[in-house]
Amino acid sequence: MTQKPKKVDIIFSPYSVAPYQILKDTMKRSKEEVIAELISSGLRGRGGAGFPTGMKWKFAAEQKGSVKYVICNADEGEPGTFKDRKLLMSVPRKVISGMAICAWVTGSTQGFIYLRREYKYLVTELQKEIDIFTHHSKEVGLNFNLQIFLGAGAYVCGEETALIESMEGKRGEPRNKPPYPIQNGFLGKPTVVNNVETFASASMVCRIGAIEYKKFGTSDQRGSKLFSISGDSPKEGVFELELGMSVESFVSEFGDGDTKAVQVGGVAGFCVPRKDFAKAIIGDGNTTGGSTMIFNSSRSMYRVLHNYLDFYAEESCGQCTPCRIGCQQLLKGIEAVKKGEKPAEYLDQLLKLSESMRLTSKCGLGQSVTNSFSSIVTNFREEMIF
Amino acid sequence: MADTKELINALSTKHGVERRSLLPILQGIVEKENYLSKESMLEVAKVLDISAAEVYGTASFFSFLDTKERGQYVIRVCKSMTCDMKGKEEILSTIESVLKIKLGETTQDKKFSFLETNCLGLCEEGPAMLINDDYFVKLTPAKIREILDRYLRNEI
C-alpha cells in the first residue's frame, strides 16, 4: 500500500485574523528577526527556480539606495499551472501581505503585481483588495504603493529579467545574469521578484513561525506546495501538498487507475513513465510551479511532445540561436521521423541537439526544453517512430 | 485617424511618455481599436520619441498586441495539452462552422476573429477559451453554439 500524499491547509485556509493583522504583527518585530525567520523556514521560491526567499530579501535589504521595487510575478504561463490564479482569486490578501512585509524589510516603497494578460478578468477584484490594503497600510504607517501591471501575452516574461524588460516597455527578452534583479532590476534599481505563491507562503511563515512551517515537507524542501493537477484525473484542481512525495503515491491519489505517464513541472519539467513511478520524487527541485499533468494509456506521447515543441517554437523569444533554431529543428525532426523521412536513429541526433540547447541557451526556457524532450523520447521511443 | 491621434494623446497623458509607458499605451489602443494599425504605431513612435521599429518590435513580441486587423471580439481557444486532450479539436471545428471562418481569420463584418492561444491557466476546466477578456470553460459544441449565438444577437 503506497502512502497517500499528505494534504495541508495553510495557504488556502480562510483568513483567520483581521485584515492585514499579519502585517501589523510582523512590523512589531525587528526586520532582522523577520528575515532570519524566513531563512530558517527554508522557504524557496515557488515559481520554479527555487531560490531561498529569505536570502533574496536579505540581499535586497542590504542594497544601498532609496529606490527599490517589489514585484509579484503573476505571469503564470507554464502549461498546466493555474494555482496563482486560484490564489489571487481566493486569498489575495495573503499575497499582498507577503509583498508588504517584503517591502517593509527591504525598504521598498513601490510594488507591482505583474498580472498575465490572460488573467485580465481578475483585475477588478484584485484592485478592490489593493484598496483595502492601502487603507490598512496607512494605519500602520507603511509607505508602500501597490499597482497592477498587465502583461501582454508572452510565456518567457515569467522569467524575471524578461518580465522587467517588458515592464520597461521593451521586448520581453531575458537579460544576462548577473547582475541579478536584486542588484540591478526594474529601471536599474534593486528589485525583488517573487512568485505569487512565494509571497503568500512568506506571509504564512510570518503568521505561524518557522518552526511550525518546517514541520511540513522534507529536509530539502520545506513546507507545503500548491500543485495544479490536470489531465486524466478524476480530481483535477489545485491541491496543497507536502513536498517530497513519490510519483507513485501521487498517482494513487490523483490518477484514473490507468496512468501511463505524469508530466511533473509543466512543459519545462520531466515526463515520468509508469516504470519510474516508485522511485521518482515530486518536490526535489523539479516542481516548476507545481504543474502536474496526468496522461492515461489512451494518450499518444508523440502528440504530447509535438504539442510541447509547438509551444516552445512559438514562445522562444528568438534572442539566442540555440533556443530559436533548436526548438524549430526538434519539432521538424520528430515530424520527419514520424513520417519516415528520417531513420529512427535521427532521434539520437535530436537528443544531442536538445543537450546542446541545455548547455548553450541564455535562459531557462531554452535550457529546459531537453527535460521533457529527452524524457519523452527516451521512455516512449517506439511511439515517436511508429 | 484623428480619433487615433486623440486616443494616443489621452493615453500618453495618462501613462506618460517614457519608454516604460509603451506597453500600457499599446494596450489602450488595442482595447479601443482591436489591433495596432500602422498609423497608430507611427503615431506612438512620434509621441514617445522613439523609432517606429522599436514600437513594432515590441508590439509584435506579445500575443495580445495584434498588429493584424482584428474583429470586435477576439476568440482565443487554448491549445495547451490538457485542453487538447479534452476535445479542443471539436471546439475549433464548431467555431469554424458557426462563424464560417478558419483559424486565424476575421469575419467579413469584422465582428469576430478566431485564434488559438497558449495555456490560459484554466486546465482543470478545459477545453477553455477567451472572448476578449472573458473566459469560458468546459466547452462543448453545444455550449459554443449557445455562447456565439449570444454574441451574434448582441446579448452580452
Side-chain angles (χ1 to χ4, degrees):
Chain A
M1 186 66 202
T2 28
Q3 209 185 1
K4 285 187 132 201
K6 290 186 202 134
K7 290 188 183 165
V8 187
D9 189 23
I10 313 176
I11 296 182
F12 280 116
S13 61
Y15 301 137
S16 59
V17 288
Y20 297 98
Q21 192 60 41
I22 301 172
L23 173 66
K24 290 172 194 170
D25 291 345
T26 306
M27 283 177 71
K28 287 177 193 149
R29 304 164 68 185
S30 82
K31 295 180 182 182
E32 293 71 29
E33 201 185 316
V34 172
I35 289 177
E37 176 110 59
L38 267 172
I39 293 174
S40 141
S41 77
L43 175 65
R44 284 164 181 266
R46 297 298 195 220
F51 191 81
T53 306
M55 294 306 287
K56 191 183 267 188
W57 292 16
K58 181 170 182 274
F59 293 145
E62 286 164 1
Q63 294 292 316
K64 305 246 178 317
S66 58
V67 182
K68 294 178 189 175
Y69 298 103
V70 172
I71 299 175
C72 174
N73 184 346
D75 193 52
E76 180 176 54
E78 190 63 52
T81 317
F82 41 95
K83 46 122 187 149
D84 293 340
R85 169 174 58 85
K86 291 265 183 189
L87 270 175
L88 291 170
M89 275 177 150
S90 56
V91 286
R93 189 167 295 165
K94 294 187 183 180
V95 179
I96 295 174
S97 295
M99 291 185 76
I101 293 168
C102 176
W104 175 66
V105 300
T106 59
S108 162
T109 55
Q110 177 65 52
F112 298 94
I113 298 176
Y114 186 101
L115 187 69
R116 72 187 298 228
R117 175 60 179 77
E118 289 83 347
Y119 292 169
K120 193 177 176 186
Y121 49 82
L122 296 179
V123 166
T124 315
E125 288 301 310
L126 198 53
Q127 188 57 50
K128 279 187 200 161
E129 184 59 37
I130 291 175
D131 295 342
I132 297 174
F133 161 72
T134 306
H135 171 78
H136 285 277
S137 68
K138 281 186 186 137
E139 244 178 49
V140 290
L142 178 72
N143 175 20
F144 183 54
N145 178 44
L146 188 55
Q147 283 175 17
I148 298 172
F149 186 96
L150 205 58
Y155 168 69
V156 74
C157 288
E159 198 280 341
E160 57 184 2
T161 60
L163 179 151
I164 289 169
E165 286 285 300
S166 76
M167 283 184 64
E168 292 180 358
K170 295 177 252 171
R171 292 167 66 85
E173 293 176 350
R175 296 174 179 172
N176 282 321
K177 291 197 264 192
Y180 293 92
I182 46 166
Q183 303 156 309
N184 185 343
F186 182 52
L187 304 175
K189 302 295 181 192
T191 305
V192 175
V193 185
N194 273 142
N195 172 261
V196 177
E197 185 186 347
T198 312
F199 281 122
S201 300
S203 70
M204 289 300 98
V205 170
C206 292
R207 183 164 74 84
I208 66 175
I211 294 168
E212 279 300 307
Y213 190 77
K214 269 204 289 199
K215 288 181 185 165
F216 303 108
T218 61
S219 59
D220 196 37
Q221 296 259 328
R222 297 296 190 192
S224 61
K225 166 93 191 76
L226 298 182
F227 286 90
S228 309
I229 297 165
S230 68
D232 295 312
S233 164
K235 296 183 196 170
E236 292 177 284
V238 177
F239 294 85
E240 185 174 1
L241 304 171
E242 265 192 66
L243 287 165
M245 70 194 134
S246 72
V247 175
E248 190 170 45
S249 73
F250 177 83
V251 165
S252 71
E253 175 75 15
F254 297 103
D256 64 356
D258 184 26
T259 305
K260 167 184 180 178
V262 180
Q263 183 74 26
V264 180
V267 169
F270 294 84
C271 186
V272 181
R274 189 183 286 154
K275 69 177 169 58
D276 295 339
F277 283 176
K279 63 178 183 204
I281 302 292
I282 297 179
D284 202 13
N286 61 359
T287 56
T288 331
S291 161
T292 35
M293 293 185 270
I294 303 178
F295 305 121
N296 71 18
S297 58
S298 73
R299 304 297 169 189
S300 152
M301 295 313 287
Y302 172 80
R303 192 176 171 96
V304 170
L305 183 60
H306 193 278
N307 182 288
Y308 293 178
L309 292 174
D310 185 61
F311 168 79
Y312 272 129
E314 199 174 299
E315 295 291 351
S316 169
C317 81
Q319 183 185 194
C320 75
T321 314
C323 177
R324 182 182 66 245
I325 307 289
C327 292
Q328 296 171 12
Q329 289 305 320
L330 292 179
L331 181 59
K332 279 188 204 162
I334 63 158
E335 284 175 351
V337 171
K338 190 78 177 177
K339 284 185 202 147
E341 291 166 359
K342 293 273 184 197
E345 294 71 43
Y346 191 63
L347 289 172
D348 302 316
Q349 302 271 78
L350 295 176
L351 284 168
K352 278 188 203 156
L353 171 61
S354 77
E355 177 60 14
S356 308
M357 290 166 67
R358 184 179 73 78
L359 295 168
T360 55
S361 294
K362 186 170 175 178
C363 81
L365 193 154
Q367 291 162 8
S368 311
V369 176
T370 188
N371 295 350
S372 47
F373 186 81
S374 63
S375 56
I376 293 177
V377 168
T378 311
N379 291 305
F380 301 96
R381 197 179 167 97
E382 64 290 350
E383 288 192 41
M384 301 301 121
I385 304 164
F386 304 109
Chain B
M1 189 56 211
D3 288 351
T4 303
K5 257 191 173 163
E6 265 173 42
L7 172 66
I8 294 169
N9 275 336
L11 287 166
S12 62
T13 309
K14 185 177 172 197
H15 299 292
V17 291
E18 296 150 293
R19 180 67 195 248
R20 58 182 279 207
S21 320
L22 182 59
L23 241 53
I25 290 176
L26 295 180
Q27 286 167 335
I29 300 170
V30 172
E31 206 175 308
K32 288 274 182 301
E33 304 192 340
N34 311 326
Y35 81 113
L36 299 165
S37 63
K38 190 177 160 191
E39 292 72 28
S40 67
M41 286 188 276
L42 287 169
E43 181 64 23
V44 170
K46 209 157 71 181
V47 172
L48 296 194
D49 194 20
I50 54 177
S51 142
E54 291 277 344
V55 177
Y56 176 73
T58 306
S60 59
F61 188 87
F62 297 97
S63 61
F64 281 75
L65 296 176
D66 290 301
T67 51
K68 266 176 82 177
E69 186 168 11
R70 300 291 186 215
Q72 183 189 358
Y73 298 110
V74 181
I75 304 171
R76 289 181 165 89
V77 180
C78 180
K79 62 171 176 178
S80 235
M81 198 56 225
T82 324
C83 285
D84 182 84
M85 285 159 64
K86 292 177 181 174
K88 178 209 74 176
E89 293 298 330
E90 214 184 353
I91 301 307
L92 294 182
S93 59
T94 310
I95 297 175
E96 267 188 17
S97 74
V98 173
L99 298 181
K100 301 189 175 54
I101 49 171
K102 291 203 166 62
L103 201 58
E105 292 179 348
T106 298
T107 52
Q108 272 197 334
D109 62 2
K110 308 267 187 267
K111 188 151 180 171
F112 295 99
S113 289
F114 173 32
L115 310 173
E116 272 188 321
T117 189
N118 285 322
C119 192
L120 288 176
L122 296 161
C123 323
E124 84 279 36
E125 297 183 289
M129 69 173 180
L130 288 180
I131 299 184
N132 290 354
D133 304 335
D134 297 320
Y135 68 97
F136 300 88
V137 294
K138 293 186 175 164
L139 297 172
T140 58
K143 204 166 165 184
I144 283 280
R145 285 198 188 87
E146 186 196 311
I147 293 164
L148 291 179
D149 198 46
R150 286 210 310 270
Y151 277 84
L152 283 163
R153 287 189 284 144
N154 299 316
E155 287 174 5
I156 39 115

